[in-house]
Amino acid sequence: MHSSSALIDIYRDYLPMSESTPVITLGEGNTPLVKAVNLPQQLGFPKLNLHFKLEGLNPTGSFKDRGMTLAISKAVEEGCRGVICASTGNTSASAAAFATKAGLPCFVLLPAGHVALGKLAQAILYGAKLISIDGNFDQALNLVKDVAEDCHLTIVNSINNYRLEGQKTAAFEVIEQLGKPPDYLFIPVGNAGNISAYWRGFKLWKNMGKAAMAPRMCGFEAAGAAAIVLKRPIAEPETKATAIRIGNPASWKEAEKAALESDGWIDSVTDDEIMDAYKLIARSEGIFCEPSSAAGVAGLIKHLKAGAVLTDSTVVAVLTGNGLKDPNAAMSAIKIDLNPIEATVEKVKLAIGI
Ligand code: F0G
């Protein structure tokens, strides 16, 4: 038993924590790893040993909380006066929540018109100062870098190394939950921080002898924002998966290294492939993730369709964010008739139709 339920306390020995680091926690981490039971069959690979890491069950609904608990705790330790970030939505929600808990002001720069409703609502309610900019995430991040120093604010994007250090705890949990490392990890790639963080975690436990091997890291960008795959920054990235609508990933090099060192790869998936996977995960497994989260599973399906045989492998797909973040995506993905019927037994039976 751990004496504290705070993630950074549980994994304190593997993190840059000092005696004087305060523990700012919202009860993050320890997210479920759930085995897929219907999806493998539906894909035509009934023996596929697939597990989902449900990161949408973190306190603010995304994996960002793992890194944010450490970034904000260190910011408090270092006596910072406030925090700032650029975000496609989830980072801003997480930063706003943890900053509030720590009593710090939080400023978030958001690409106007491209942030899912739930994320916006969170940042507003947690009390962050929202600054909507006429530009995309990459431009917002450049602005953050330009203003942070002058305003004496701490950047809590994943260019803040504490973010990735905190996020690497997800790899430890996966190993503990499976009882061993998986053979493959399928994961979405946006700013490329998360894939880099998982690799840090898997590599660390392998090097420390706590795990026999490390998985192949398989990352997936959206086709309209596939800078790493195309080997050039994308000036105007476009994808329905707004969380990964990023044209110049900050952790580009570390993510490439993760793929190379682990004998994995980074590829892209189209919006159609992402939205198909998004619906399939909900309808086969009862798991509601956000569209961007489905990019890893879309990548897995693409790989299987290309002829890969993963029957003897253990596969983990990371579902990075909660589907409730983006209700509009769900409503436009499935067309249904919501017109009310007469409130009678007869009409309801007719509607049920069985
Ligand atoms: N999935 C979700 C739900 C995300 O919010 C993000 C990134 C990613 C995947 C990609 O992770 O950037 O580490 O490669 N969201 C950031 C944000 C950019 O501002 O919330 P990554």
Side-chain angles (χ1 to χ4, degrees):
M1 274 290 281
H2 297 286
S3 59
S4 161
S5 64
L7 185 68
I8 56 177
D9 252 344
I10 294 171
Y11 295 111
R12 177 174 277 272
D13 294 350
Y14 310 99
L15 297 172
M17 296 282 283
S18 78
E19 285 291 310
S20 55
T21 314
V23 176
I24 312 294
T25 178
L26 290 170
E28 59 290 328
N30 194 21
T31 56
L33 186 76
V34 174
K35 190 168 165 40
V37 293
N38 301 315
L39 188 62
Q41 184 92 35
Q42 286 188 21
L43 293 175
F45 297 90
K47 293 214 173 112
L48 180 66
N49 186 14
L50 172 63
H51 302 254
F52 295 114
K53 182 69 171 156
L54 301 187
E55 288 291 275
L57 295 187
N58 275 296
T60 76
S62 85
F63 71 95
K64 306 285 179 179
D65 295 344
R66 291 181 183 278
M68 206 56 76
T69 176
L70 186 61
I72 299 289
S73 298
K74 293 303 277 191
V76 172
E77 181 182 1
E78 288 158 11
C80 105
R81 63 181 265 203
V83 298
I84 186 167
C85 65
S87 180
T88 56
N90 281 324
T91 297
S92 65
S94 187
F98 282 90
T100 290
K101 183 98 188 225
L104 290 174
C106 175
F107 303 87
V108 301
L109 270 68
L110 303 173
H114 295 279
V115 176
L117 188 63
K119 305 174 189 181
L120 210 52
Q122 285 180 290
I124 293 171
L125 204 70
Y126 292 137
K129 166 83 179 160
L130 256 62
I131 302 160
S132 188
I133 69 148
D134 187 11
N136 60 32
F137 170 85
D138 305 285
Q139 291 164 303
L141 185 56
N142 284 335
L143 286 167
V144 162
K145 288 184 202 161
D146 287 343
V147 302
E149 204 174 308
D150 288 348
C151 300
H152 303 288
L153 295 169
T154 302
I155 300 176
V156 292
N157 279 103
S158 54
I159 52 174
N160 176 331
N161 189 50
Y162 296 128
R163 281 278 314 282
L164 297 200
E165 284 297 298
Q167 278 171 220
K168 78 184 182 196
T169 58
F172 306 156
E173 282 180 17
V174 167
I175 295 174
E176 288 174 336
Q177 288 168 316
L178 278 175
K180 60 171 187 177
D183 298 298
Y184 293 84
L185 189 94
F186 284 80
I187 185 167
V189 174
N191 214 21
N194 210 23
I195 188 171
S196 306
Y198 269 89
W199 183 238
R200 283 189 194 185
F202 284 124
K203 206 163 63 167
L204 182 65
W205 274 24
K206 178 171 173 258
N207 291 344
M208 291 181 70
K210 285 177 70 74
M213 44 81 78
R216 297 173 75 171
M217 307 296 294
C218 313
F220 296 88
E221 298 184 292
I228 300 175
V229 175
L230 298 172
K231 301 191 187 302
R232 58 175 171 84
I234 312 293
E236 293 187 5
E238 269 317 332
T239 167
K240 283 185 188 167
T242 53
I244 55 172
R245 187 175 172 271
I246 294 173
N248 193 9
S251 299
W252 184 324
K253 292 289 160 237
E254 190 169 342
E256 267 183 341
K257 215 170 120 217
L260 193 71
E261 286 180 0
S262 70
D263 196 22
W265 66 91
I266 295 177
D267 193 4
S268 64
V269 281
T270 65
D271 276 8
D272 283 348
E273 288 170 326
I274 291 173
M275 296 313 284
D276 283 350
Y278 166 70
K279 287 184 271 190
L280 202 58
I281 297 162
R283 295 202 158 195
S284 63
E285 298 294 336
I287 298 171
F288 190 19
C289 67
E290 60 172 290
S292 302
S293 301
V297 178
L300 169 63
I301 295 171
K302 180 176 177 181
H303 188 53
L304 289 169
K305 281 188 178 160
V309 181
L310 300 177
T311 316
D312 296 321
S313 306
T314 303
V315 179
V316 168
V318 183
L319 300 182
T320 47
N322 198 303
L324 294 170
K325 295 263 191 183
D326 194 353
N328 294 329
M331 297 308 282
S332 53
I334 312 282
K335 298 278 172 246
I336 60 158
D337 178 7
L338 277 176
N339 283 326
I341 56 163
E342 213 178 292
T344 62
V345 167
E346 203 180 314
K347 285 286 158 64
V348 172
K349 278 187 172 171
L350 204 65
I352 289 172
I354 53 171

